[in-house]
Amino acid sequence: MKGLCLVCLIAGFFVAEDQRSSFLSQGLTLLQKGEYKEALALLRRAVEEHPLSEEAHNYYGFALGRTGGLSEAIEEFNKALKLNPRYPEALYNLGAALNVEGQYATAVHNLQTALSLQPNFPEAEKELGFALTQTGDLAGAIQALRRATRQRPNMVTAYNELGLLYARTGDQEQALRQFRQAVTADPKSAESHSNFGVALHQSGDLQGAISEFQQALSINPRFVEGLKNLAQAMRDKGDLKAAIVYYRQVVSLQPESSMAHADLGFTLKRNSQLKEALEELRRAVSLSPELARAHFHLAETLTQTGEDEAALPEYEAAARLSPKDVEFRVKYGTALAKTRPQDAVGQLRQAIALDPNNYVARQALGMVLRRNGDLEGSAFEFQRATELSAAADKHAEAVLRTNKGIEYLKKSDFSQAIQALRSALVAEPGFAEAHHYLGIAYSATGKRGEANREFKEALQSRPSDSEIHFNYGVALGRQGEWQEAIREFTAVITIRPSHPQAHCWLASSLSHIGDNERSKSELEQARELGPCELGAFR
Amino acid sequence: MCQSSLGNWVVLVLLALALVKVEGQNSLFEPFAVSFEDVAPRAGITSPTIFGGRTENKYILETTGCGAAFLDYDNDGWLDIFLVNGTTLDAMESSQSANRLLRNNHNGTFTDVARKAGVSRMGWGQGVCVGDYDNDGLEDLFVTYWGHNLLYHNQGDGTFTELTEKAGLFTKEIKWGAGCAFLDYDRDGYLDLFFTNYVDFDLESAPLPGSGSCIYQGLAVNCGPRGLPKARSYLFRNNGDGTFTDATEKSGIAKAPPSYGLGVLTGDFNNDGWPDIYVANDSQPSYLFWNDGQGNFTEEGMSSGVATNSEGRNQSGMGVAAGDYNCDGLLDIFKTNFSDDLPNLYRNVGKKFFEEDTTAAGLGINSILLGWGCGFFDADNDGWLDILYVNGHVYPEIDRLKKEIGYRQPKVLYQNLGNGKFRDVSKFAGPGFAANIAARGCAFGDFDNDGNTDVLVNPINDVPQLLRSRSNSGNHWIKLKLIGKQSNRSAIGARVRCVTGKHQQIGEVRSGVSNITQNDLRVHFGLDRAERIDLLEIRWPSEKVDRLSGVAPNRILTIREGQGL
């Protein structure tokens, strides 16, 4: 019930003392001290004494909310609002309570009303942000949270929520920025350091992530999430010994957590400490027999130690508990190959049904069929695997060549960039990224027709790629093709409503065609979301 | 009286317990009877192999390192050493890093005669293989490069002449030669040549570290091989007149798609008398080319069960070795792979099929290492082939992460227990196993002719190691130098069967093996305590068969085709 707001008490201080009952005053004092249970009785008396006091109902509701009586709290807030529908704190408290209840749409309504009455209300903006996130209005949520942080620059929770939202919408750069702000606003928040670390980890900055997790743990050495995150980062870095140390700490804090034992076991296995791995993984499956991952790693470890027979039921359990996991099914099928070849075929065929383009599964199936004497069947699977594997190789080639092209673009060596990107398309015709960056390269060299063609090709394969739409829009804008540019920027905003640059460019494009009202609105939105710069391609 | 009986009874029980304990220890707990010591400094091997950047590698070119060879280039019965060398991006023609030809002085020391011999070439040296391609009784050398491969003809006077172009083996384009092997694929008595190429690599257009997915554990590293253009393997047929003709297309080798070929292994895997070829590919299915005896090869690695691991997953194959580890008369294959993976032990079950037995055989315990050169060899001469492989990471940048296992890695030695299983005896293998090294090439041979197989390790940016083997097993051995007459002089492809009582072993004379490396061409058998070899049967590439019986152990025998000892 964190959402419920003691700020409302501030409003209480502006009511004349003699108009307040002593029960109400005493109750407020206890609320301010955090003695909610003690305040409850007094505030109940206050409401009985002054049934027409919206304040009494509001604070009574607050005390109820804090002591576990959420539905009664909501009743009291509604009573307060019936007495005074323009009471911002009660509207806010009601909104916060409805958020906890999961009634997000109604929460949004109440919070928006509170804000219309009291625009500078950062707590309400934060709650509104949360509610809008739940209703799927991510752009609205971002705007609300940004207002919250503008109004209260040290609102750590708002920065964290913003960071999570941006991460969700794929805007890694913004996510990092918000998490960094959270850490700056409250350097002693272990949670904020941990969130920042996760974002850094996802963006590929492993060392930065580790540093943040270590900070989190220096603030709170028993912060389990921080330990888990640090352990995983260490494992990804390859420092298995350190990862094991941290996973052991998680296990000591959460000895009944099967996931903790499973993570530790897996890491021990990777470090070739097979005996200890087996112990941990066995513990994990005994704690949670339904944890597919633990069964799988146990099976793998048993196989590695040569205990194929013991591994089989573990593979079976993993595949049964996680029926859509292709890897589990492939491994199970392979494990069955020598003793139950027909079942092996069945499992591998199921794996292929789940992922027809999985060449590993096809290779495994081919090998089993070959062993069973089905030469024709195995030849078919091997052929298909070869085709799929070749396609994957071609893709890898196209990626490397495209990256080379991007390197040249960054150096403004457009002719080399074009060469590299065209060679990427030779490796994999239709590779969207190559078409995309080729479009940028041609645009930079003034070849409009070629540029537009490349962007269109890119969008054929990736019609929902907001960056391609954006860069195409920029290219069109530079060509003076404003209507087409508007089309592209609108597409970006549909896909990613929180894209500030798209709003910015859309505003500019609209003003070019004379639609100044819409242009102004877009500009405002852009500024809500971030700095507006009509810069280069992204 | 009773007390005395009781006392005896106690003693008997204690003895029995002790016996039981000793038996248990023999199989699992007893330290290994063989110890390796690095005698390179004493031997005069002091200069490092130079290859790429020491702390970071900009390109994949800097990662593969160099091979090494044991050979007897001067026919004095003592193994000499050829160490391939590399260079760096900054000093492509550095005089500091030429190939080394080390002549065995017969006293545990070697002298570098490379310059005098005319083989001190500089460049991005890769692999080496040995074979007497013109049947003049002298071992010749083929050295692969990123650049142009070279054929060195042994003149017999301590020098070599580079005859690549004259022999028809020169290619104008720069290629990345890797593993190679001489083999007589058509059994006409002349050694042909097979080599693979790794990546079609162009320094100008190669992507830079960190590009796209070129990230490893958070570090920006060199790119490849995935995403870089693949390359082809080649087969050149010996015309019998000192020249070769490209038979890649005609033989069917070209039908296999280009790949990232590294290790090359030849052997008669289906016992039909014709040498087959296995290529360990990096990041892709490995190839097994079956020789049909009509001059044609068909690639069937996948259907033979040796292309991937048993789950169908492609692996980064590097070093390869062939040997009959379970003494069933069929050559098995061992392959090393990348880290966080396992090597492969492919057990030959006949009918052109292999089963992967890696974990069942006890080889699943060292998954964290990155394997390169490897070999089957009888370290303790007990008649069962053991396995050794050397390791080293590909990314020197990994040392920045300060992990337990870094760029330099330990070696692994698995003792064959004689029951299809192995045990890890690395920590009992002596001081030569103590120092970690960024190893690449690894050759096996008995350089001091004492009956124990020694190991030569060629690392990256470090001094090579010459691991001298000392054994207190008391086991016997026999070493055979085979000389062909109708068959190629080196007897490459000859199959030897050694029978001692109920125990049978097979061996082959083989060129090129491990990771871009050449082993001693002599065939070695450990004989355990057998005082006599009941039968030595040599099946020559010409199909002639020689048999010797009642052979005494602990010596080096020279056997000529058709003439016996």
Side-chain angles (χ1 to χ4, degrees), chain B residues 204-242:
Chain B
E204 296 296 311
S205 62
L208 292 171
S211 304
S213 55
C214 306
I215 303 280
Y216 182 79
Q217 292 178 355
L219 297 167
V221 294
N222 63 80
C223 294
R226 287 206 81 200
L228 296 177
K230 301 187 189 76
R232 289 204 162 278
S233 295
Y234 289 88
L235 177 65
F236 278 82
R237 185 178 173 272
N238 192 327
N239 300 320
D241 59 0

Side-chain angles (χ1 to χ4, degrees), chain A residues 204-207 235-241 269-274 300 302-308 315 327 330-331 334 337-338 348 359-368 370-371 375 378 382 385-386 389-401 403-404 407-408 411, chain B residues 59 204-209 211-219 223-230 257 260 283-285 302-305 308-314 340 342 347 350-357 359-360 362-368 398 400-405 421:
Chain A
D205 181 358
L206 206 44
Q207 206 39 62
R235 191 170 73 195
D236 289 349
K237 185 184 150 187
D239 191 344
L240 299 177
K241 206 170 165 184
K269 173 196 171 306
R270 283 231 3 228
N271 201 35
S272 296
Q273 291 174 246
L274 300 180
E300 292 276 88
L302 287 164
T303 303
Q304 214 173 315
T305 54
E307 295 176 69
D308 290 353
Y315 278 128
E327 194 191 357
V330 170
K331 293 276 185 145
T334 313
K338 286 183 189 169
L348 291 166
Y359 68 82
V360 172
R362 288 192 183 271
Q363 279 172 180
L365 176 56
M367 280 161 56
V368 172
R370 163 71 171 85
R371 194 186 281 109
L375 298 183
S378 78
F382 287 143
T386 302
S389 173
D393 285 343
K394 283 290 173 194
H395 178 72
E397 216 174 301
V399 167
L400 269 188
R401 290 181 185 187
N403 286 326
K404 192 76 188 169
E407 270 169 42
Y408 283 126
K411 292 186 219 169
Chain B
Y59 301 111
E204 296 296 311
S205 62
L208 292 171
S211 304
S213 55
C214 306
I215 303 280
Y216 182 79
Q217 292 178 355
L219 297 167
C223 294
R226 287 206 81 200
L228 296 177
K230 301 187 189 76
Y260 302 126
S283 307
Q284 285 199 283
M302 199 67 83
S303 59
S304 301
T308 65
N309 68 4
S310 57
E311 297 150 18
R313 196 168 298 281
N314 296 345
D340 284 329
L342 294 175
R347 176 171 53 90
K351 296 186 182 164
K352 290 187 173 180
F353 195 68
F354 293 72
E355 291 275 4
E356 197 197 347
D357 270 4
T359 53
L363 305 184
I365 55 178
N366 287 302
S367 59
I368 206 169
I398 202 128
R400 282 184 222 154
L401 300 179
K402 298 192 192 324
K403 296 158 43 175
E404 211 179 328
I405 297 285
K421 294 193 186 301

Side-chain angles (χ1 to χ4, degrees), chain A residues 69-92:
Chain A
L70 192 61
S71 38
E72 293 92 341
I74 288 172
E75 263 180 50
E76 290 303 319
F77 295 138
N78 276 319
K79 282 179 188 169
L81 287 167
K82 204 168 173 185
L83 291 165
N84 179 7
R86 295 172 63 79
Y87 187 0
E89 290 76 17
L91 283 162
Y92 164 79

Side-chain angles (χ1 to χ4, degrees), chain A residues 26-134:
Chain A
Q26 286 167 52
L28 281 176
T29 307
L30 288 173
L31 280 183
Q32 278 179 311
K33 287 182 191 173
E35 291 171 34
Y36 304 120
K37 275 198 179 130
E38 294 75 7
L40 198 60
L42 290 166
L43 290 167
R44 189 182 301 116
R45 292 293 302 274
V47 158
E48 283 164 4
E49 207 176 72
H50 295 282
L52 297 180
S53 162
E54 63 264 31
E55 238 189 339
H57 285 285
N58 181 41
Y59 298 136
Y60 181 40
F62 180 88
L64 282 165
R66 284 287 175 171
T67 51
L70 192 61
S71 38
E72 293 92 341
I74 288 172
E75 263 180 50
E76 290 303 319
F77 295 138
N78 276 319
K79 282 179 188 169
L81 287 167
K82 204 168 173 185
L83 291 165
N84 179 7
R86 295 172 63 79
Y87 187 0
E89 290 76 17
L91 283 162
Y92 164 79
N93 282 332
L94 178 57
L98 289 169
N99 266 343
V100 175
E101 285 275 273
Q103 296 179 48
Y104 304 117
T106 321
V108 165
H109 171 73
N110 282 285
L111 291 162
Q112 283 175 336
T113 310
L115 285 162
S116 69
L117 294 166
Q118 189 178 311
N120 190 4
F121 198 164
E123 290 83 2
E125 296 283 15
K126 193 184 100 36
E127 283 296 324
L128 178 61
F130 175 77
L132 288 170
T133 305
Q134 303 308 311

Side-chain angles (χ1 to χ4, degrees), chain A residues 46 101 106 126 129 152 230 253 272 291 330 377 387 428 444 477 491 495:
Chain A
E101 285 275 273
T106 321
K126 193 184 100 36
R152 186 162 307 151
L230 180 55
L253 290 168
S272 296
L291 189 58
V330 170
E387 289 161 8
E428 185 178 335
I495 299 162

Side-chain angles (χ1 to χ4, degrees), chain A residues 225 228 231-232 235-236 247 250-251 254 257-270 277-278 280-286 288-302 311 313-325 327-329 331:
Chain A
E225 280 310 304
K228 284 184 194 171
Q232 185 169 337
R235 191 170 73 195
D236 289 349
Y247 277 128
V250 174
V251 162
Q254 293 184 334
S257 163
S258 55
M259 295 278 276
H261 286 281
D263 282 331
L264 174 56
F266 173 62
T267 311
L268 286 162
K269 173 196 171 306
R270 283 231 3 228
L278 284 173
E280 290 299 326
L281 290 165
R282 284 191 170 119
R283 184 96 181 96
V285 302
S286 76
S288 289
E290 74 289 355
L291 189 58
R293 192 161 61 85
H295 284 284
F296 179 72
H297 292 312
L298 178 55
E300 292 276 88
T301 311
L302 287 164
E314 299 301 332
Y315 278 128
E316 186 277 327
R320 177 176 35 86
L321 291 166
S322 195
K324 291 199 187 330
D325 192 308
E327 194 191 357
F328 291 178
R329 217 156 272 286
K331 293 276 185 145

Side-chain angles (χ1 to χ4, degrees), chain B residues 231-467:
Chain B
R232 289 204 162 278
S233 295
Y234 289 88
L235 177 65
F236 278 82
R237 185 178 173 272
N238 192 327
N239 300 320
D241 59 0
T243 68
F244 292 79
T245 301
D246 189 345
T248 312
E249 292 279 348
K250 196 170 172 212
S251 64
I253 295 284
K255 285 195 180 132
S259 64
Y260 302 126
L262 275 174
V264 164
L265 180 67
T266 60
D268 180 9
F269 293 108
N270 58 347
N271 289 353
D272 66 353
W274 297 90
D276 311 298
I277 304 171
Y278 181 70
V279 178
N281 283 321
D282 187 355
S283 307
Q284 285 199 283
S286 294
Y287 290 156
L288 178 52
F289 294 98
W290 292 106
N291 186 341
D292 71 355
Q294 309 290 319
N296 305 311
F297 286 88
T298 309
E299 199 291 295
E300 291 179 355
M302 199 67 83
S303 59
S304 301
V306 291
T308 65
N309 68 4
S310 57
E311 297 150 18
R313 196 168 298 281
N314 296 345
Q315 296 171 289
S316 299
M318 298 328 170
V320 279
D324 180 12
Y325 81 91
N326 55 349
C327 295
D328 65 354
L330 296 164
L331 281 178
D332 312 297
I333 294 175
F334 180 81
K335 175 164 70 75
T336 56
N337 295 303
F338 208 80
S339 61
D340 284 329
D341 197 355
L342 294 175
N344 306 105
L345 179 66
Y346 295 117
R347 176 171 53 90
N348 193 333
V349 298
K351 296 186 182 164
K352 290 187 173 180
F353 195 68
F354 293 72
E355 291 275 4
E356 197 197 347
D357 270 4
T358 313
T359 53
L363 305 184
I365 55 178
N366 287 302
S367 59
I368 206 169
L369 303 172
L370 206 158
W372 291 90
C374 61
F376 282 110
F377 75 121
D378 194 348
D380 53 358
N381 284 334
D382 66 352
W384 296 92
L385 292 174
D386 310 299
I387 293 172
L388 182 149
Y389 62 98
V390 297
N391 306 285
H393 214 280
V394 286
Y395 305 124
E397 294 87 346
I398 202 128
D399 280 345
R400 282 184 222 154
L401 300 179
K402 298 192 192 324
K403 296 158 43 175
E404 211 179 328
I405 297 285
Y407 189 53
R408 287 168 187 74
Q409 299 186 353
K411 304 173 199 55
V412 176
L413 177 61
Y414 284 114
Q415 179 195 17
N416 190 333
L417 298 174
N419 58 358
K421 294 193 186 301
F422 293 78
R423 74 165 175 136
D424 187 349
V425 293
S426 313
K427 56 177 178 262
F428 303 125
F433 270 62
N436 289 356
I437 197 167
R440 294 293 185 264
C442 170
F444 297 79
D446 184 2
F447 80 88
D448 52 2
N449 289 337
D450 65 353
N452 297 315
T453 306
D454 312 300
V455 184
L456 173 66
V457 182
N458 200 2
I460 270 198
N461 292 323
D462 212 334
V463 177
Q465 292 180 329
L466 181 61
L467 304 178

